Amino acid sequence: MNREKLIHILEDLASGKTDVKSTLHCLRNLPFEDIGCARVDQHRALRKGFPEVVFGAGKSTEQILLISERIVAQGGPLLVTRVSQEAGDALTERFPNGCHDRLSRTFHLILAPVENLGRGMILIISAGTSDLPVAQEAALTARLMGNRVEQLVDVGVAGIHRLLQDRKLLDEAEVLVVAAGMEGALPSVVGGLVDRPIIAVPTSVGYGTSFGGLAALLGMLNSCASGVVVVNIDNGFGAGYAASLMNRREHT
């Protein structure tokens, strides 16, 4: 349940359009709804400004559908991350107005226009094309949370002139998310160019001694550039969410 829906329920009670019993029925699932396989946090949109997000990995398709149905019933929006092809097909069939993004392995459904809540623009930068799935997850998350998002693709340190060509875009960003694998050097480079927060996202892209993104993670944690913070390996969702909170215009 989001803030607008709760206000509408309370206004109906205050005006006499509904009675106390009906209002209690509407509010009975706060703060969570026990559906057996999960306790869906229906209070999260009120606390955090965005509903619970479904992490698809490790869940059966049936569990994902059941949880998603309860989030949609409360007004959404719905975001499911780490979606398999099977689960994506099932979600698309159940919610035909939604979108299964195979690149970012996400599914989302928007039930109402997304309000612009950001102070400025969030810039999502991916070092290489191979980092795009993680960068796309971050971009989609930030957009659903009410932000203007721009993206730069394939501007890694092996050809740094590609990044410098878009220096104006770097300077316009309020928050920057930088996804990189291999040695994870790009966030440090960007950190030396701008005076805004940078969220570094190590990806599991690289040869054997990248250790599935560990080399990039350690490189980013040891960045000499000021203002760089780091999320976990391949955590595009976490980066997009954090960037949205940093960019939020006001807290309601």
Side-chain angles (χ1 to χ4, degrees):
M1 181 175 293
N2 57 35
R3 180 175 180 271
E4 289 71 25
K5 186 171 182 178
L6 180 58
I7 290 174
H8 180 71
I9 291 171
L10 295 176
E11 286 177 343
D12 283 350
L13 175 63
S15 66
K17 290 182 180 180
T18 58
D19 56 22
V20 172
K21 184 177 180 180
S22 298
T23 302
L24 285 174
H25 178 77
C26 292
L27 298 177
R28 66 182 180 180
N29 291 327
L30 294 178
F32 66 86
E33 182 179 1
D34 191 341
I35 59 173
C37 67
R39 295 186 178 188
V40 184
D41 186 358
Q42 301 290 21
H43 195 260
R44 193 170 304 185
L46 292 173
R47 297 196 321 270
K48 302 279 289 179
F50 196 78
E52 180 174 3
V53 174
V54 184
F55 181 66
K59 293 183 177 67
S60 69
T61 298
E62 292 73 21
Q63 289 170 336
I64 292 172
L65 286 174
L66 186 58
I67 297 169
S68 298
E69 287 168 353
R70 300 318 307 154
I71 292 173
V72 170
Q74 290 295 325
L78 171 68
L79 174 59
V80 187
T81 65
R82 302 304 163 95
V83 174
S84 66
Q85 185 64 52
E86 176 188 349
D89 291 343
L91 285 163
T92 301
E93 182 177 355
R94 176 63 182 83
F95 306 107
N97 292 328
C99 177
H100 177 205
D101 186 332
R102 290 170 175 78
L103 178 61
S104 62
R105 297 171 292 170
T106 61
F107 180 90
H108 70 275
L109 174 65
I110 300 172
L111 299 173
V114 178
E115 181 184 359
N116 183 0
L117 301 174
R119 295 194 310 272
M121 177 261 292
I122 295 175
L123 180 60
I124 312 291
I125 303 174
S126 51
T129 306
S130 298
D131 302 306
L132 264 177
V134 175
Q136 185 72 4
E137 184 181 66
L140 176 62
T141 301
R143 286 192 179 101
L144 286 177
M145 294 185 69
N147 300 278
R148 181 168 72 92
V149 177
E150 300 289 343
Q151 290 182 255
L152 282 178
V153 177
D154 197 22
V155 291
V157 297
I160 200 64
H161 58 293
R162 299 172 297 182
L163 174 69
L164 298 177
Q165 178 176 297
D166 289 291
R167 179 63 190 271
K168 182 179 179 181
L169 195 58
L170 296 178
D171 291 338
E172 290 176 356
E174 191 72 26
V175 184
L176 301 93
V177 175
V178 184
M182 299 291 187
E183 82 284 21
L186 186 59
S188 290
V189 174
V190 176
L193 296 174
V194 301
D195 61 351
R196 300 302 169 93
I198 296 168
I199 303 172
V201 191
T203 70
S204 53
V205 172
Y207 295 103
T209 53
S210 70
F211 298 110
L214 181 60
L217 172 64
L218 294 176
M220 293 173 182
L221 287 171
N222 286 283
S223 173
C224 64
S226 302
V228 176
V229 297
V230 188
V231 298
N232 212 338
I233 299 169
D234 289 339
N235 189 8
F237 163 72
Y241 200 109
S244 180
L245 294 179
M246 292 178 184
N247 189 49
R248 185 171 293 180
R249 185 172 58 252
E250 61 184 20
H251 293 271
T252 57

